[in-house]
Amino acid sequence: MRREGRTTLREVAEAAGVSVATCSYVLSGRAGRTTPLPEPTRRRVEEAAQKLGYKGNTAARSLRRQRSELIALVYAPPVGPWLDRLTMQCEDIAAAHGYSVIGVPVRRLDRAAQSLRVITRGHVDGAIFAPGLSDDMELTAARRSTRALMAFSDHLDLEGVDVVRNNVRQAVADATAYLLGSGRERIAFLSHATPHDDRYAGYADALRAHGLDADPELVRIGAASREEAVVVVRDLLSSPNPPDAIVSESDRGAFAALQAAVDRGFKVPDDLAVIGTGNTLEATYSSPPLTSVGMYQLDFTEMVEALFARIDDPTRPARELSMPWVLNHRDSA
Amino acid sequence: MRREGRTTLREVAEAAGVSVATCSYVLSGRAGRTTPLPEPTRRRVEEAAQKLGYKGNTAARSLRRQRSELIALVYAPPVGPWLDRLTMQCEDIAAAHGYSVIGVPVRRLDRAAQSLRVITRGHVDGAIFAPGLSDDMELTAARRSTRALMAFSDHLDLEGVDVVRNNVRQAVADATAYLLGSGRERIAFLSHATPHDDRYAGYADALRAHGLDADPELVRIGAASREEAVVVVRDLLSSPNPPDAIVSESDRGAFAALQAAVDRGFKVPDDLAVIGTGNTLEATYSSPPLTSVGMYQLDFTEMVEALFARIDDPTRPARELSMPWVLNHRDSA
DNA sequence: TTGTATGCGTTATCAT
DNA sequence: ATGATAACGCATACAA
């Protein structure tokens, strides 16, 4: 909200010797008029606005237009380079539509409602929910408070919400199949909690397709925290019959596996192949760089445009876009 | 911005059989009235609002109150745990003031203006700029567009902008002095670009206080990118007279130093002490965990409250708060 | 104790 | 080609 004493359209109008209506037409750009604006008048208005430092009042415009011209990007830090790309593409496309972009970092799921206040209170016209958020979150409140909602989610099916499918299950299956195909035989899975989600399912799918069953010994919980994961993987590697590969439900867990491998004298990828999930920024930097399942395609134009299409017409049928996750090959597997 | 067909105050008023004014008093909370509101009326209004799902219209409220009830947190990802804390504390304090918090990630400095549109267009009442941003950025436009601005910066001195001093120079000097005190004699400095900033100054200060001069051989550029830093540090460690300690201008450079040390067979911290700057999240996770200069105190209450004080009264004199960076001891030095 | 009236700054319709 | 004017939804001074 602007400081007090801001220049108003009326003051510009007086300075230019025309009416506020004319000023509005000139300055808001979008002429809804039949005839184009006459050049001399437009110039006088623009000069007056310039001289007075006119900036416009977003609240007034929002009230009148029934649009805030703001969209939100909801995500859970830390995030990888793909979010950078998404942010920048959003900003560019939004600017072309006269919109601005805000970030809504959800730092703890148990505080999500608090973080989402800006959305539920109706400050934004639309919001994009990054992967991993919408499945755990109550979106109906957000849905009611915006004109458009777009979510990266493989399962979400909510009236009037556009979705982007990542096909995570298939991607993890592909990664596991890749390991099997390169001769790995004892592939462990490091899960977040009880392993019943898509990522585990993909792992199990691949084993099954290869005629194997998941060995309970090789499926461990611990990917959620780095410290826990190190302990778990060390234990795994100390067993008489250790795994020759690890698929982790997160990159975090995979980094821990890399560390535990060093601790236990396993060479990566020779003695132990490691694949993470998420394709985070750090995957590029770890030693060795981490092979990770995650986003690859970094062109979000279609989905962002779809969001704006829905902002323009909230009644249009919900769309289902597809941006499959892939295996990003680096040195760890 | 809310969807069309939202419940308005007027509809609530009709349903409750009272006037919009009364509804406004009840629902906006802050009664500017002399007498408290009578219980039965208030109940009827609240029930009607509940039943109709009344949510209020932020644009209308903003226009009337001349406040957007939004504050922004401007930062450059990736960030450490301190930003998590700051965000959550902001959200809590903001909620107590009836405000919501938005994030403004500035992912590339050359696109800062684009990212800051949400501020310069007047969507927020106040903004907090995280460390490292305000010094390189043109803040005057933002200043004019908000009621309050608070910046983490050791140098910024802008009319009407509150600042938080981190005393980075002193902190790096302390870190260097700590190394000197524990017997290190050849302390290298890994800088971002030409070393003329605060961090280098602190390093030089400490050497000087110890009767030493910075050895040009030991001052290298390369902390900006991980890859570059690894090359530079490897080179440093291969020299006939290698350093026994490295102070890096960033944690990123320090991680690279840890990696280069492994490559060259140096044990950390025995053969080589490494200290980073920034105290990022990864510092806790590296092996060994990285000693790093950075934020320690994680209570931002005072500064956030100062922001709100200025939002309430933009004419109050600018404050200068102090939150000194410190040396966070871990295993690498 | 409650209601009436006015204006916040802008946009869009309609008249001129 | 330009200007009056009526909303947009809410908050508040003031009247009743």
Side-chain angles (χ1 to χ4, degrees):
Chain A
M1 184 55 28
R2 290 83 186 297
R3 294 168 60 193
E4 320 203 55
R6 292 289 301 283
T7 308
T8 100
L9 206 48
R10 186 164 156 174
E11 293 167 327
V12 176
E14 279 166 13
V18 297
S19 75
V20 279
T22 306
C23 282
S24 177
Y25 279 121
V26 172
L27 297 173
S28 63
R30 14 201 150 183
R33 335 196 58 190
T34 43
T35 55
L37 314 106
E39 195 51 40
T41 318
R42 127 164 277 153
R43 268 257 305 287
R44 268 193 313 170
V45 171
E46 275 166 355
E47 276 165 16
Q50 176 75 31
K51 201 177 65 188
L52 295 177
Y54 174 73
K55 281 296 163 49
N57 179 315
T58 57
R61 164 176 288 205
S62 293
L63 180 57
R64 179 62 233 231
R65 284 241 185 101
Q66 302 290 10
R67 300 271 199 291
S68 66
E69 302 184 330
L70 229 44
I71 64 171
L73 219 47
V74 186
Y75 58 93
V79 291
W82 72 269
L83 205 257
D84 292 3
R85 292 292 301 269
L86 176 56
T87 305
M88 298 195 302
Q89 288 179 29
C90 270
E91 284 173 351
D92 290 338
I93 297 174
H97 288 258
Y99 273 67
S100 302
V101 181
I102 66 174
V104 179
V106 175
R107 306 202 121 85
R108 278 172 36 189
L109 273 178
D110 56 308
R111 293 173 45 96
Q114 177 82 283
S115 305
L116 291 178
R117 272 168 54 110
V118 61
I119 293 177
T120 50
R121 290 178 129 204
H123 281 285
V124 303
D125 289 345
I128 296 177
F129 282 76
L133 275 176
S134 46
D135 286 341
D136 302 309
M137 209 177 275
E138 190 46 72
L139 285 193
T140 47
R143 178 66 197 92
R144 271 198 290 269
S145 311
T146 58
R147 302 174 61 88
L149 225 53
M150 173 138 252
F152 286 87
S153 167
D154 281 349
H155 299 292
L156 187 74
D157 180 19
L158 195 59
E159 161 99 34
V161 176
D162 298 302
V163 291
V164 179
R165 305 298 188 198
N166 287 133
N167 296 322
V168 173
R169 180 169 177 165
Q170 183 61 49
V172 174
D174 291 346
T176 309
Y178 164 77
L179 291 172
L180 290 164
S182 48
R184 309 287 174 169
E185 293 177 337
R186 290 183 55 72
I187 305 177
F189 186 82
L190 193 58
S191 82
H192 269 155
T194 331
H196 52 34
D197 68 355
D198 277 348
R199 304 180 188 195
Y200 176 76
Y203 162 80
D205 287 348
L207 290 183
R208 208 173 308 115
H210 207 255
L212 298 174
D213 267 335
D215 177 351
E217 272 303 297
L218 293 180
V219 176
R220 301 291 181 96
I221 293 174
S225 104
R226 171 103 180 203
E227 293 72 17
E228 192 184 352
V230 171
V231 172
V232 168
V233 178
R234 274 193 198 135
D235 180 60
L236 215 40
L237 297 180
S238 307
S239 79
N241 196 0
D244 54 11
I246 293 185
V247 174
S248 167
E249 188 159 3
S250 65
D251 277 2
R252 198 183 303 120
F255 296 136
L258 295 181
Q259 184 179 328
V262 172
D263 297 346
R264 288 290 178 264
F266 281 66
K267 281 222 180 66
V268 175
D270 299 342
D271 306 331
L272 183 74
V274 178
I275 294 184
T277 314
N279 199 28
T280 55
L281 182 59
E282 293 76 20
T284 321
Y285 292 150
S286 61
S287 54
L290 181 70
T291 296
S292 180
V293 174
M295 243 177 260
Y296 166 72
Q297 186 191 344
L298 293 181
D299 182 359
F300 301 96
T301 314
E302 190 184 4
M303 61 169 293
V304 178
E305 290 292 6
L307 183 82
F308 279 105
R310 176 168 289 278
I311 288 176
D312 283 343
D313 174 17
T315 66
R316 72 205 300 272
R319 289 189 61 184
E320 181 171 14
L321 304 175
S322 180
M323 293 186 65
W325 280 19
V326 297
L327 184 59
N328 300 277
H329 286 279
R330 300 199 184 86
D331 299 346
S332 71
Chain B
M1 182 59 27
R2 288 82 186 295
R3 294 170 58 194
E4 321 202 55
R6 292 289 300 283
T7 308
T8 112
L9 205 49
R10 185 165 157 170
E11 293 167 328
V12 176
E14 280 165 11
V18 297
S19 75
V20 271
T22 305
C23 281
S24 177
Y25 279 123
V26 172
L27 296 173
S28 64
R30 20 202 147 180
R33 336 197 56 191
T34 43
T35 54
L37 317 106
E39 197 49 41
T41 318
R42 128 162 276 152
R43 269 256 306 286
R44 265 193 316 170
V45 171
E46 276 166 353
E47 276 163 15
Q50 174 76 32
K51 199 176 67 191
L52 296 176
Y54 174 74
K55 282 295 163 52
N57 177 315
T58 57
R61 165 176 287 208
S62 292
L63 181 57
R64 180 62 231 236
R65 286 242 185 97
Q66 301 291 318
R67 301 272 199 290
S68 65
E69 302 185 328
L70 228 46
I71 62 172
L73 219 46
V74 186
Y75 58 93
V79 291
W82 73 268
L83 206 257
D84 292 1
R85 291 292 302 269
L86 176 56
T87 305
M88 297 195 303
Q89 287 179 29
C90 269
E91 283 174 349
D92 290 338
I93 296 174
H97 288 258
Y99 273 67
S100 302
V101 181
I102 66 174
V104 178
V106 175
R107 306 202 120 86
R108 278 172 36 191
L109 273 179
D110 57 307
R111 292 174 45 95
Q114 177 83 282
S115 305
L116 291 179
R117 272 167 56 110
V118 60
I119 294 178
T120 50
R121 290 178 133 206
H123 281 287
V124 304
D125 289 345
I128 296 178
F129 282 76
L133 275 175
S134 46
D135 285 340
D136 302 310
M137 208 177 275
E138 190 46 70
L139 286 193
T140 47
R143 178 65 195 94
R144 272 199 288 271
S145 312
T146 60
R147 302 174 60 88
L149 226 54
M150 173 140 253
F152 285 87
S153 166
D154 280 349
H155 299 292
L156 186 74
D157 181 18
L158 195 59
E159 162 97 36
V161 175
D162 298 302
V163 291
V164 179
R165 304 299 188 199
N166 286 134
N167 295 321
V168 173
R169 179 169 178 165
Q170 182 62 50
V172 174
D174 291 347
T176 309
Y178 164 77
L179 290 172
L180 290 165
S182 49
R184 309 286 173 170
E185 292 177 340
R186 291 183 55 73
I187 305 178
F189 185 81
L190 192 59
S191 82
H192 269 156
T194 332
H196 52 32
D197 69 351
D198 278 348
R199 304 181 187 192
Y200 175 75
Y203 162 79
D205 288 348
L207 290 182
R208 208 173 308 114
H210 208 255
L212 298 173
D213 267 336
D215 178 350
E217 272 303 297
L218 293 180
V219 177
R220 301 291 182 96
I221 293 174
S225 103
R226 173 103 179 202
E227 293 72 18
E228 192 185 352
V230 170
V231 173
V232 168
V233 177
R234 274 193 198 135
D235 180 61
L236 214 41
L237 296 181
S238 308
S239 80
N241 195 2
D244 55 10
I246 293 186
V247 174
S248 166
E249 189 160 2
S250 65
D251 276 3
R252 196 183 304 121
F255 296 136
L258 295 180
Q259 185 179 328
V262 172
D263 298 346
R264 289 290 177 263
F266 281 65
K267 282 225 180 67
V268 175
D270 298 340
D271 306 331
L272 183 74
V274 177
I275 295 184
T277 314
N279 198 29
T280 55
L281 182 59
E282 293 76 20
T284 322
Y285 292 150
S286 61
S287 54
L290 181 70
T291 296
S292 179
V293 174
M295 242 177 262
Y296 165 71
Q297 186 191 342
L298 293 180
D299 182 359
F300 301 95
T301 314
E302 191 184 4
M303 62 168 294
V304 179
E305 290 293 5
L307 184 81
F308 279 106
R310 175 167 291 277
I311 288 175
D312 284 342
D313 174 18
T315 66
R316 72 204 300 271
R319 288 189 62 185
E320 181 172 14
L321 303 175
S322 181
M323 293 188 65
W325 279 21
V326 297
L327 185 59
N328 299 277
H329 287 280
R330 298 197 183 89
D331 298 348
S332 72

